[in-house]
Amino acid sequence: MLRIVFAAAAVIILLWLLARTYHMVLVLLFALVLAIVINTPVARLETKGIKRGWAALIVFGAIAIALALIGWLVVPKVMEQLRTLIANLPGYAAVLQDKMSKLQEAFPDLDGKPGNNSLDPANWLPSISEAINRLTNFSLTVLQSVLLLIIFFSLVVYAVVNPKPLLEIYFSLFPPHKRDRAATAYANASVMLTGWLKSNLIGGVISGIATTIVLSLLGVPGAWVWGALALFSELIPRLGFYISAVPPTLVALSISNTTALWVGIFFIAMDEIMADVVMPQIRSNAMNIHPVSILFLVMAFGAAFGFIGILLATPMAAIIKAYYEEFYMHHQAPDPDWKERIQRAVSGGK
């Protein structure tokens, strides 16, 4: 009876810890996913006789050089347009205030309180004490985010440089007669995760180029800035839409209502096409996973775990598929009529 009580207490404590720290567990999982992806080129260099430490240094150095090269090509243009945008912010704000004032004049009952000019951007500004409080909270949030980012990248680096202890823990979870299957499932998941990263980069490039071209044609200032923002926001499923769409739409609103309307239509159309058509197909081809599975897991993980869940959804689809095929499908007896049976089902059972 005493053992049952202690076991129940241990389970309750474990569940309580998971409930309190599940965000950190998800961050750890995402770090391990990136480590598995980066491990692929490191392992290839290691097979050529290069020690693992040097191989990891070469790969991380190549990533840093690639990012620096992109920055050298793109950042000067982005910074030039960003300085122009910042210099013109007072003018944009004045135009927006004028448009809001005209909107309130046309619809005086819009705010529900006579004499309360809630549409005036000046009324949106907080008091000095409130602004200081918000600035302090924002600074603490930024500091916490920076520390978390440092820890995150440290996890990735340590997992890539010395993965053997982690793999020992991984294989110890399986009985000896199933460890070969565990190794095969891990290898298959690694291949699919590499395809996931490639598909995200391809989607980001497509979004960035499309945004830069369309906003340039519409005459929106800072098209390169918004293109770079769209490139990186594509790596954030669903939430990236708001990051990339809202700022250029507000800038376009300061030019004309028609321009803002077309910018909004473009971002809505691009988000729907990229999220529901292009990216699932790219990920499907790169990872050999059906788009329905990817979209379902994005919705399910987003509902369960929020932002981090959305980031982890597609990698988890790869991992689930790899282990399902290796540990379940291989246990089934061979079915010589498998393809014909599926084709009959597609044809309506005929």
Side-chain angles (χ1 to χ4, degrees), residues 78-138:
V78 171
M79 291 304 297
E80 176 186 348
Q81 296 194 357
L82 188 60
R83 284 193 293 267
T84 303
L85 287 172
I86 293 174
N88 293 334
L89 275 179
Y92 296 149
V95 174
L96 283 174
Q97 181 175 354
D98 181 63
K99 290 181 180 293
M100 291 297 184
S101 299
K102 291 180 179 179
L103 181 62
Q104 189 177 30
E105 291 175 1
F107 303 96
D109 297 330
L110 189 62
D111 57 2
K113 294 181 180 180
N116 181 18
N117 192 14
S118 62
L119 292 178
D120 187 351
N123 293 331
W124 302 345
L125 299 176
S127 63
I128 295 178
S129 59
E130 186 180 357
I132 294 175
N133 186 36
R134 289 184 183 182
L135 182 61
T136 302
N137 293 334
F138 178 74

Side-chain angles (χ1 to χ4, degrees), residues 189-200:
S190 177
V191 172
M192 286 189 283
L193 290 176
T194 303
W196 161 74
L197 183 61
K198 291 179 180 177
S199 64
N200 280 346

Side-chain angles (χ1 to χ4, degrees), residues 13 59 73 84 113 120 136 169 208 222 231 241 268 286 306 331 340:
I13 293 173
V59 172
L73 294 173
T84 303
K113 294 181 180 180
D120 187 351
T136 302
I169 295 174
L231 188 152
F241 165 75
I268 292 173
H331 280 289
E340 290 77 6

Side-chain angles (χ1 to χ4, degrees), residues 8-24:
V11 170
I12 293 172
I13 293 173
L14 179 60
L15 291 176
W16 178 81
L17 286 174
L18 288 176
R20 300 288 293 180
T21 63
Y22 80 93
H23 280 97
M24 296 301 102

Side-chain angles (χ1 to χ4, degrees), residues 63-76:
I63 294 173
I65 291 172
L67 292 175
L69 181 61
I70 294 173
W72 178 69
L73 294 173
V74 177
V75 168

Side-chain angles (χ1 to χ4, degrees), residues 25 38 50 67 86 94 99 119 189 203 227 240 252 301 312 339:
V25 174
I38 297 174
I50 302 175
L67 292 175
I86 293 174
K99 290 181 180 293
L119 292 178
F301 273 69
L312 273 173
K339 292 183 179 180

